[in-house]
Amino acid sequence: MTNECGKPRLRFSSDGVFRMLMMSDIQESADFDPRSLASVRELLDRANPDFVMLGGDNCCGHLIKNTDDLRRFLDIFAGEIEKRGIPWAHIFGNHDHDSPCGALEQQKVYESFPLCLSGHTDGIHGTTNFVLPVYGHSDGRVRFHIWGLDTNNSVEELDVMVPGGNMYAKALLPNNTLSVGKWGFLYFDQLMWYWNTSCLAEKEHGGKIPGIMCMHIAPHEFTMAAANPELCVKSGSFGEALGTYPFNCGIFAELLQRGDIHTLSCGHTHENDFEAEYCGIRLCWDACAGYGSYGIDALRGGRVFEIREDDPWHAETYMIRTSDAVYGRT
């Protein structure tokens, strides 16, 4: 089954389950650590997903000088997904934006892959803002949505708002109780895009479509959940500062008001892989899939989400660790 662009359509399998694998922070180039490629292969083989989301920091941006560099990297790592016949998509992380190769140039390379379903927006902040429908196995109705949002990499355009410029320096106060980072965040026009697109989908389909939203950098509510593990955290590790947005952009409050997103999944910091719930929304982290950057080997891997067609408002989720396979342990 394909869409109007000749790309595959996502749909629930014959057993009524849709399995999604999210792997973030591969953070490699064509000159890669072999353990990272072994990790990706292990995740794909063990998860056997219907769809793969690359959760940002896919490449090591400062090593990607042009689109040829990016193509060589993707031929290797996305090639593992393509040759298994699995549809996939991506969102950008801060290190993807580190490349001198512009985001739209990178996006064209990604979208040129036959099984890449990534979309993009024009005229608003961020590039990898999109929503993908997942259809019922036999009836062709949209049963589920997968959302991607681009958390950008800079608030430099806000420098004009503060005396002397340098908004980051003004935002990063010494008493940083929320462990905010110096990376990007979601702009209001992206929040409006999500709201308007969600409302349009509800009107078109005669009701809200449940979904999962993926972004690289987490909103502040993840820190609230991690600070209250006895009330919120169900499983996993949260030992590293989360590096959330420098400002609370309001995405979590927006999700509560719209009521169609039941799971929010992020990457970015490599030593967190927890699953939590806060105000009825599941908050998930997926550690890192790559081995070339910092992290704890025992935590490296990816996160699987299993959604049932007969109850798409809930999802089962779990981590797959790759260190044993990477290091040849059994």
Side-chain angles (χ1 to χ4, degrees), residues 5 17-18 61 76 89 102 107 153 166 184 192 202 220 261 273 280 282:
C5 300
V17 176
F18 182 82
I76 296 166
Q107 190 70 16
N153 191 38
N166 197 344
M192 288 194 298
E202 180 180 4
H220 290 185
I261 302 297
D273 68 348
R282 174 176 282 165

PDB file of all heavy atoms in Angstrom, residues 5 17-18 61 76 89 102 107 153 166 184 192 202 220 261 273 280 282:
ATOM      1  N   CYS A   5       2.471   9.862  -3.138  1.00  0.00           N
ATOM      2  CA  CYS A   5       3.858  10.130  -3.544  1.00  0.00           C
ATOM      3  C   CYS A   5       4.634   8.850  -3.844  1.00  0.00           C
ATOM      4  O   CYS A   5       5.838   8.909  -4.098  1.00  0.00           O
ATOM      5  CB  CYS A   5       4.574  10.925  -2.453  1.00  0.00           C
ATOM      6  SG  CYS A   5       3.823  12.527  -2.093  1.00  0.00           S
ATOM      7  N   VAL A  17      -1.393  -5.254  15.710  1.00  0.00           N
ATOM      8  CA  VAL A  17      -0.371  -4.513  16.450  1.00  0.00           C
ATOM      9  C   VAL A  17       0.467  -3.685  15.479  1.00  0.00           C
ATOM     10  O   VAL A  17       0.778  -4.135  14.370  1.00  0.00           O
ATOM     11  CB  VAL A  17       0.540  -5.463  17.256  1.00  0.00           C
ATOM     12  CG1 VAL A  17       1.662  -4.694  17.948  1.00  0.00           C
ATOM     13  CG2 VAL A  17      -0.279  -6.231  18.278  1.00  0.00           C
ATOM     14  N   PHE A  18       0.807  -2.480  15.893  1.00  0.00           N
ATOM     15  CA  PHE A  18       1.760  -1.648  15.159  1.00  0.00           C
ATOM     16  C   PHE A  18       2.962  -1.427  16.067  1.00  0.00           C
ATOM     17  O   PHE A  18       2.824  -0.943  17.183  1.00  0.00           O
ATOM     18  CB  PHE A  18       1.139  -0.307  14.773  1.00  0.00           C
ATOM     19  CG  PHE A  18       2.058   0.578  13.972  1.00  0.00           C
ATOM     20  CD1 PHE A  18       2.197   0.394  12.612  1.00  0.00           C
ATOM     21  CD2 PHE A  18       2.774   1.591  14.592  1.00  0.00           C
ATOM     22  CE1 PHE A  18       3.042   1.207  11.861  1.00  0.00           C
ATOM     23  CE2 PHE A  18       3.622   2.404  13.861  1.00  0.00           C
ATOM     24  CZ  PHE A  18       3.754   2.219  12.490  1.00  0.00           C
ATOM     25  N   GLY A  61      27.043  16.220  13.448  1.00  0.00           N
ATOM     26  CA  GLY A  61      26.893  17.331  12.525  1.00  0.00           C
ATOM     27  C   GLY A  61      28.172  18.014  12.094  1.00  0.00           C
ATOM     28  O   GLY A  61      28.314  18.386  10.923  1.00  0.00           O
ATOM     29  N   ILE A  76      24.795   4.136   4.849  1.00  0.00           N
ATOM     30  CA  ILE A  76      25.232   3.089   5.775  1.00  0.00           C
ATOM     31  C   ILE A  76      24.159   2.802   6.825  1.00  0.00           C
ATOM     32  O   ILE A  76      23.695   1.664   6.975  1.00  0.00           O
ATOM     33  CB  ILE A  76      26.548   3.493   6.462  1.00  0.00           C
ATOM     34  CG1 ILE A  76      27.674   3.621   5.426  1.00  0.00           C
ATOM     35  CG2 ILE A  76      26.928   2.480   7.554  1.00  0.00           C
ATOM     36  CD1 ILE A  76      28.909   4.336   5.941  1.00  0.00           C
ATOM     37  N   ALA A  89      11.288   7.394   9.446  1.00  0.00           N
ATOM     38  CA  ALA A  89      11.286   8.854   9.392  1.00  0.00           C
ATOM     39  C   ALA A  89      12.323   9.364  10.376  1.00  0.00           C
ATOM     40  O   ALA A  89      12.927   8.592  11.121  1.00  0.00           O
ATOM     41  CB  ALA A  89       9.898   9.413   9.704  1.00  0.00           C
ATOM     42  N   GLY A 102      22.784  23.071   5.366  1.00  0.00           N
ATOM     43  CA  GLY A 102      21.520  23.570   5.893  1.00  0.00           C
ATOM     44  C   GLY A 102      20.477  22.493   6.097  1.00  0.00           C
ATOM     45  O   GLY A 102      20.507  21.429   5.473  1.00  0.00           O
ATOM     46  N   GLN A 107      17.328  17.760   4.548  1.00  0.00           N
ATOM     47  CA  GLN A 107      16.013  17.151   4.443  1.00  0.00           C
ATOM     48  C   GLN A 107      15.794  16.524   3.067  1.00  0.00           C
ATOM     49  O   GLN A 107      15.200  15.442   2.955  1.00  0.00           O
ATOM     50  CB  GLN A 107      14.936  18.204   4.718  1.00  0.00           C
ATOM     51  CG  GLN A 107      13.537  17.641   4.861  1.00  0.00           C
ATOM     52  CD  GLN A 107      13.365  16.832   6.129  1.00  0.00           C
ATOM     53  OE1 GLN A 107      14.167  16.914   7.042  1.00  0.00           O
ATOM     54  NE2 GLN A 107      12.291  16.058   6.194  1.00  0.00           N
ATOM     55  N   ASN A 153      17.913  24.518  17.215  1.00  0.00           N
ATOM     56  CA  ASN A 153      19.240  24.492  17.828  1.00  0.00           C
ATOM     57  C   ASN A 153      19.713  25.852  18.297  1.00  0.00           C
ATOM     58  O   ASN A 153      20.863  25.994  18.670  1.00  0.00           O
ATOM     59  CB  ASN A 153      20.274  23.936  16.839  1.00  0.00           C
ATOM     60  CG  ASN A 153      21.606  23.624  17.489  1.00  0.00           C
ATOM     61  OD1 ASN A 153      21.651  23.147  18.611  1.00  0.00           O
ATOM     62  ND2 ASN A 153      22.698  23.909  16.800  1.00  0.00           N
ATOM     63  N   ASN A 166      22.840  38.011  23.476  1.00  0.00           N
ATOM     64  CA  ASN A 166      23.188  36.725  24.082  1.00  0.00           C
ATOM     65  C   ASN A 166      22.083  36.227  25.015  1.00  0.00           C
ATOM     66  O   ASN A 166      22.231  36.178  26.234  1.00  0.00           O
ATOM     67  CB  ASN A 166      24.518  36.799  24.815  1.00  0.00           C
ATOM     68  CG  ASN A 166      25.103  35.409  25.092  1.00  0.00           C
ATOM     69  OD1 ASN A 166      24.405  34.406  24.999  1.00  0.00           O
ATOM     70  ND2 ASN A 166      26.369  35.357  25.427  1.00  0.00           N
ATOM     71  N   GLY A 184      18.096  24.305  21.590  1.00  0.00           N
ATOM     72  CA  GLY A 184      16.907  24.945  21.066  1.00  0.00           C
ATOM     73  C   GLY A 184      15.638  24.584  21.804  1.00  0.00           C
ATOM     74  O   GLY A 184      15.643  23.924  22.846  1.00  0.00           O
ATOM     75  N   MET A 192       1.342  26.357  17.037  1.00  0.00           N
ATOM     76  CA  MET A 192       0.128  26.649  16.265  1.00  0.00           C
ATOM     77  C   MET A 192      -0.057  25.636  15.147  1.00  0.00           C
ATOM     78  O   MET A 192      -1.193  25.214  14.869  1.00  0.00           O
ATOM     79  CB  MET A 192       0.202  28.062  15.684  1.00  0.00           C
ATOM     80  CG  MET A 192       0.043  29.167  16.706  1.00  0.00           C
ATOM     81  SD  MET A 192      -0.255  30.787  15.933  1.00  0.00           S
ATOM     82  CE  MET A 192       1.264  30.994  14.988  1.00  0.00           C
ATOM     83  N   GLU A 202      -9.149  16.096  13.361  1.00  0.00           N
ATOM     84  CA  GLU A 202     -10.342  15.713  14.127  1.00  0.00           C
ATOM     85  C   GLU A 202     -11.608  15.955  13.310  1.00  0.00           C
ATOM     86  O   GLU A 202     -12.531  15.120  13.284  1.00  0.00           O
ATOM     87  CB  GLU A 202     -10.405  16.499  15.433  1.00  0.00           C
ATOM     88  CG  GLU A 202     -11.619  16.150  16.277  1.00  0.00           C
ATOM     89  CD  GLU A 202     -11.672  16.931  17.586  1.00  0.00           C
ATOM     90  OE1 GLU A 202     -10.811  17.800  17.814  1.00  0.00           O
ATOM     91  OE2 GLU A 202     -12.603  16.659  18.379  1.00  0.00           O
ATOM     92  N   HIS A 220      10.047  20.849  29.969  1.00  0.00           N
ATOM     93  CA  HIS A 220      10.355  20.882  31.399  1.00  0.00           C
ATOM     94  C   HIS A 220       9.620  19.821  32.203  1.00  0.00           C
ATOM     95  O   HIS A 220      10.087  19.405  33.265  1.00  0.00           O
ATOM     96  CB  HIS A 220      10.014  22.259  31.962  1.00  0.00           C
ATOM     97  CG  HIS A 220      10.934  23.339  31.484  1.00  0.00           C
ATOM     98  ND1 HIS A 220      10.875  24.633  31.946  1.00  0.00           N
ATOM     99  CD2 HIS A 220      11.940  23.322  30.577  1.00  0.00           C
ATOM    100  CE1 HIS A 220      11.797  25.367  31.345  1.00  0.00           C
ATOM    101  NE2 HIS A 220      12.449  24.590  30.515  1.00  0.00           N
ATOM    102  N   ILE A 261      -2.650  13.323  22.172  1.00  0.00           N
ATOM    103  CA  ILE A 261      -1.329  12.712  22.330  1.00  0.00           C
ATOM    104  C   ILE A 261      -1.268  12.014  23.683  1.00  0.00           C
ATOM    105  O   ILE A 261      -1.408  12.657  24.727  1.00  0.00           O
ATOM    106  CB  ILE A 261      -0.203  13.760  22.234  1.00  0.00           C
ATOM    107  CG1 ILE A 261      -0.262  14.504  20.904  1.00  0.00           C
ATOM    108  CG2 ILE A 261       1.157  13.105  22.432  1.00  0.00           C
ATOM    109  CD1 ILE A 261      -0.046  13.636  19.683  1.00  0.00           C
ATOM    110  N   ASP A 273      16.891   6.738  30.297  1.00  0.00           N
ATOM    111  CA  ASP A 273      16.059   5.849  29.484  1.00  0.00           C
ATOM    112  C   ASP A 273      14.760   5.511  30.215  1.00  0.00           C
ATOM    113  O   ASP A 273      14.229   4.423  30.103  1.00  0.00           O
ATOM    114  CB  ASP A 273      16.816   4.564  29.127  1.00  0.00           C
ATOM    115  CG  ASP A 273      17.085   3.678  30.335  1.00  0.00           C
ATOM    116  OD1 ASP A 273      16.899   4.153  31.478  1.00  0.00           O
ATOM    117  OD2 ASP A 273      17.456   2.509  30.141  1.00  0.00           O
ATOM    118  N   GLY A 280      -1.360  12.209  33.100  1.00  0.00           N
ATOM    119  CA  GLY A 280      -2.012  11.362  32.115  1.00  0.00           C
ATOM    120  C   GLY A 280      -1.273  11.170  30.816  1.00  0.00           C
ATOM    121  O   GLY A 280      -1.746  10.449  29.935  1.00  0.00           O
ATOM    122  N   ARG A 282       2.205   9.841  28.980  1.00  0.00           N
ATOM    123  CA  ARG A 282       3.418   9.032  29.176  1.00  0.00           C
ATOM    124  C   ARG A 282       4.615   9.794  28.622  1.00  0.00           C
ATOM    125  O   ARG A 282       4.595  10.323  27.495  1.00  0.00           O
ATOM    126  CB  ARG A 282       3.268   7.684  28.469  1.00  0.00           C
ATOM    127  CG  ARG A 282       4.524   6.846  28.506  1.00  0.00           C
ATOM    128  CD  ARG A 282       4.269   5.490  27.873  1.00  0.00           C
ATOM    129  NE  ARG A 282       3.561   4.616  28.784  1.00  0.00           N
ATOM    130  CZ  ARG A 282       2.949   3.489  28.408  1.00  0.00           C
ATOM    131  NH1 ARG A 282       2.925   3.135  27.152  1.00  0.00           N
ATOM    132  NH2 ARG A 282       2.348   2.733  29.302  1.00  0.00           N
TER     133      ARG A 282
END
